[in-house]
Amino acid sequence: ARGIPIRPRFSFKRTETSPGSFKVEGLDFPKTTESFKQFCVEAIVEDIKESVCRVSENVFDEQEHANVPTVMYELPDGSEVQIGGDRFKVPEVLFNPSLLGTFPDAQAISNLGQPSSLPLQSLTKLVMESIAKVDVDVRKELFNGIILTGGSSMLPNVRERLERELLESAPGQARVKVIASHNAMERKFGVWIGGSILASLGSFQQCWFSKQEYEEKGAGLIHMKAP
């Protein structure tokens, strides 16, 4: 499936010429920005990810997945792509970021949005490090209430894989439980829903600071207002 162009839905017209046959004509929208085009392409890629990708039950092995059955995905313009082992390999980056080096243009995305001193880490390691930063007395409770949200949490088997890896890494006395809502909207947008609830609380409004305060004192002001 690599190398196949993804055309935004707005950039073409698809007309049926005969039963089962379609003609695709390109459309010109000269005032369309590149960022909007990229947004439309990424929306299609996201659907591909959530439709055909799945997390491997165990550590991904390229040789073992070399002959897995392919899955067909039809792009908006009618082009069909066959996706084989990559549907397991791509999600494996969540648990093994070093796999990024095996993809084309990996250098451009390996540290996307991060300083060079902060390399990408696995989901399991990020959870373990986050819990290790809090008081030791509450760590057990945190291990027992790990909530999984966001677009990549929609991948099949991601909850089970994360829970299993955390069980292997957590202290013996800790009870690990990873929670993922069965409601697709709650699971995908849980962070935004929780943030809106938090922002609506009167007590939280005392922690806000104005644009002027931010420009005067910078982001560090948050530690003074909400220590």
Side-chain angles (χ1 to χ4, degrees):
R2 300 179 186 179
I4 296 178
I6 298 177
R7 302 173 68 178
R9 298 178 190 274
F10 70 84
S11 66
F12 62 87
K13 180 174 68 172
R14 192 168 178 235
T15 309
E16 187 172 14
T17 55
S18 61
S21 298
F22 295 86
K23 179 182 179 182
V24 178
E25 297 177 89
L27 300 176
D28 186 25
F29 290 89
K31 294 185 179 180
T32 304
T33 64
E34 284 300 320
S35 61
F36 180 71
K37 293 178 183 177
Q38 186 65 23
F39 170 79
C40 293
V41 169
E42 289 177 356
I44 298 170
V45 172
E46 182 179 7
D47 188 64
I48 296 174
K49 178 189 74 174
E50 296 176 6
S51 299
V52 304
C53 291
R54 64 179 297 114
V55 175
S56 177
E57 293 184 3
N58 301 302
V59 176
F60 174 82
D61 184 288
E62 191 141 19
Q63 291 184 341
E64 290 181 5
H65 289 80
N67 298 316
V68 298
T70 60
V71 173
M72 188 274 289
Y73 183 91
E74 183 177 342
L75 295 171
D77 63 359
S79 302
E80 295 181 355
V81 294
Q82 299 291 335
I83 306 173
D86 280 349
R87 63 193 178 98
F88 291 92
K89 183 178 181 179
V90 171
E92 187 68 16
V93 171
L94 292 171
F95 298 92
N96 181 11
S98 65
L99 279 177
L100 276 175
T102 65
F103 290 97
D105 301 322
Q107 188 63 37
I109 62 175
S110 60
N111 282 298
L112 187 62
Q114 297 194 62
S116 58
S117 59
L118 294 175
L120 294 174
Q121 299 185 70
S122 71
L123 189 57
T124 308
K125 189 171 182 179
L126 286 173
V127 173
M128 292 297 298
E129 287 189 357
S130 297
I131 293 177
K133 290 179 179 179
V134 305
D135 193 280
V136 66
D137 294 332
V138 298
R139 291 177 189 174
K140 287 184 180 180
E141 286 75 10
L142 292 180
F143 274 115
N144 194 36
I146 300 166
I147 300 176
L148 198 60
T149 67
S152 293
S153 74
M154 307 298 290
L155 291 166
N157 208 41
V158 66
R159 187 198 68 79
E160 293 81 0
R161 172 75 177 276
L162 177 60
E163 189 170 86
R164 183 164 56 252
E165 290 199 1
L166 288 172
L167 277 169
E168 295 172 357
S169 303
Q173 68 274 22
R175 180 186 175 190
V176 177
K177 184 176 182 181
V178 178
I179 304 164
S181 174
H182 294 292
N183 183 300
M185 296 302 289
E186 287 184 5
R187 185 166 176 173
K188 193 169 185 176
F189 301 109
V191 173
W192 296 100
I193 295 171
S196 67
I197 294 172
L198 180 63
S200 67
L201 298 177
S203 57
F204 183 75
Q205 293 175 15
Q206 299 172 10
C207 300
W208 294 2
F209 54 89
S210 67
K211 179 182 177 181
Q212 182 180 354
E213 289 177 311
Y214 178 83
E215 291 175 345
E216 289 178 356
K217 300 184 180 179
L221 179 64
I222 189 63
H223 300 294
M224 299 169 58
K225 283 212 165 190

